[in-house]
């Protein structure tokens, strides 16, 4: 079952606005957008090795509306095209109308594709040095589950995080599963991958970020630990938590105070709670 909200889409919806964005992306000054012709395609064949297959209505809609996303081809059922309210003459890439079974073959029967798949290149990576405008970032210390990372991305977008930083190893790469779990959020928050997390944390500190590692045994509660106008929240992997080097590098180890019998949360839930608290602190500091 899809985790995306089942809502009826009004005429001036997010999907309807995509049609205008498509025309802007494909038209040159003084000209209307040239029609994109459907190209023959065999869904069962693998794409280029450096491409990703994105699927799901919200995921594909967000990717189509992202000017930084390089697109290759769109496969969709007639029903999915209707639900997306796409103007096929203004699509920014070739498309093909297919039957649902073709997408099942291409993506596997477990993929909840909702009748649409977009083949594209991974998004460009940013650097820690690019965070001059950010006041809040998330740092993931080897969080490995793409579903957790996708949920974290959604919370990062919801609370206005400037980036999500992860490690190049022991972290999920961009994929259809991760993008579907993020439900479009992948297109709205910059992703930064680093080889050496401790070095990245030092770089964040040099930029004025207070680096706070979340740990259920942290000496301080999270909210009172906020001291700066720029916050980097650091979350550890499922099960093991923060690595020892990370614990030694952050400015402070803080805990989410939970009076109940369960003293720890899933990493994606902890990220949402911590982001909410950090955003309240930053809003108060700015006020």
């Amino acid at each position: 079952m899809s985790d995306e909200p089942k809502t009826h889409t009004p005429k001036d919806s997010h999907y309807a606005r995509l049609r205008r964005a498509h025309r802007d992306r494909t038209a040159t000054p003084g000209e209307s957008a040239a029609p994109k012709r459907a190209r023959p395609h065999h869904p069962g064949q693998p794409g280029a090795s450096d491409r990703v297959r994105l699927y799901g209505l919200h995921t594909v809609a967000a990717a189509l509306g992202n000017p930084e996303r390089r697109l290759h081809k769109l496969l969709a059922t007639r029903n999915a095209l209707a639900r997306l309210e796409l103007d096929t003459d203004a699509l920014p890439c070739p498309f093909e109308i297919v039957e649902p079974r073709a997408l099942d073959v291409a993506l596997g029967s477990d993929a909840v594709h909702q009748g649409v798949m977009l083949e594209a290149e991974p998004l460009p990576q940013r650097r820690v040095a690019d965070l001059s405008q950010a006041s809040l970032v998330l740092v993931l210390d080897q969080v490995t589950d793409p579903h957790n990372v996708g949920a974290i991305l959604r919370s990062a977008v919801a609370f206005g995080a400037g980036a999500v930083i992860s490690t190049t190893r022991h972290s999920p790469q961009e994929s259809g599963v991760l993008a579907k779990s993020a439900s479009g959020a992948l297109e709205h928050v910059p992703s930064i991958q680093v080889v050496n997390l401790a070095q990245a944390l030092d770089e964040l500190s040099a930029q004025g970020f207070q680096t706070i590692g979340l740990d259920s045994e942290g000496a301080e509660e999270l909210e009172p630990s906020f001291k700066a106008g720029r916050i980097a929240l650091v979350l550890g992997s499922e099960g093991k938590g923060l690595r020892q080097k990370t614990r030694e590098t952050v400015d402070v180890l803080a805990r989410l105070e939970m009076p109940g019998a369960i003293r720890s949360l899933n990493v994606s839930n902890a990220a949402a709670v911590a982001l909410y608290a950090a955003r309240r602190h930053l809003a108060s500091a700015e006020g």
Side-chain angles (χ1 to χ4, degrees):
M1 181 177 294
S2 170
D3 61 352
E4 298 172 351
K6 294 179 172 64
T7 56
H8 294 289
T9 307
K11 277 297 180 184
D12 194 28
S13 67
H14 171 67
Y15 296 142
R17 292 194 295 272
L18 276 172
R19 294 184 298 175
R20 296 192 290 273
H22 295 154
R23 292 193 181 96
D24 293 342
R25 287 181 61 171
T26 56
T28 55
E31 296 180 345
S32 60
K36 295 285 184 179
R37 301 298 182 189
R39 295 180 181 175
H41 176 68
H42 301 288
Q45 295 179 349
S49 59
D50 60 343
R51 298 179 186 178
V52 292
R53 288 177 167 183
L54 307 175
Y55 55 86
L57 292 171
H58 289 306
T59 302
V60 169
L64 288 171
N66 183 1
E68 293 192 354
R69 175 72 79 171
R70 186 175 177 184
L71 311 175
H72 289 282
K73 53 194 167 188
L74 173 71
L75 277 68
T77 64
R78 293 186 185 279
N79 181 56
L81 282 177
R83 292 180 67 184
L84 289 169
E85 296 184 335
L86 297 176
D87 181 350
T88 55
D89 287 338
L91 282 171
C93 64
F95 76 98
E96 182 181 353
I97 295 175
V98 297
E99 294 299 320
R101 174 177 285 275
L103 298 178
D104 291 339
V105 171
L107 296 167
S109 58
D110 292 335
V112 186
H113 53 69
Q114 298 178 297
V116 63
M117 182 187 85
L118 179 66
E119 189 170 296
E121 294 191 15
L123 286 167
Q125 285 286 314
R126 299 289 187 261
R127 302 173 302 162
V128 175
D130 297 330
L131 294 175
S132 60
Q133 302 302 313
S135 60
L136 177 61
V137 299
L138 273 179
V139 182
L140 307 182
D141 184 10
Q142 297 189 351
V143 177
T144 58
D145 187 335
H147 297 93
N148 278 334
V149 175
I152 289 169
L153 288 168
R154 292 175 69 175
S155 295
V157 172
F159 291 106
V164 174
I165 302 171
S166 61
T167 53
T168 54
R169 296 184 62 190
H170 306 293
S171 297
Q173 301 300 304
E174 186 176 333
S175 68
V177 172
L178 188 153
K180 182 64 166 58
S181 299
S183 192
L186 189 63
E187 311 297 327
H188 296 290
V189 60
S191 174
I192 299 173
Q193 290 197 328
V194 298
V195 175
N196 188 315
L197 192 64
Q199 182 177 323
L201 290 171
D202 287 339
E203 190 173 348
L204 286 170
S205 294
Q207 292 187 35
F209 283 92
Q210 181 190 14
T211 57
I212 302 175
L214 267 69
D215 189 299
S216 60
E217 303 299 325
E220 298 187 38
E221 291 184 29
L222 179 62
E223 289 94 331
S225 73
F226 295 133
K227 306 296 183 186
R230 307 184 82 188
I231 301 294
L233 297 168
V234 189
L235 293 101
S237 64
E238 306 91 340
K240 294 183 179 180
L242 298 173
R243 290 177 293 165
Q244 184 61 33
K245 180 63 175 177
T246 304
R247 294 167 60 89
E248 295 170 354
T249 306
V250 295
D251 296 325
V252 62
L253 289 172
R255 68 184 187 275
L256 295 174
E257 187 62 21
M258 289 174 282
I262 295 177
R263 303 300 302 276
S264 64
L265 295 174
N266 172 277
V267 64
S268 62
N269 294 330
V273 174
L275 283 166
Y276 174 77
R279 181 51 65 194
R280 282 176 58 87
H281 160 76
L282 292 171
S284 176
E286 292 169 0

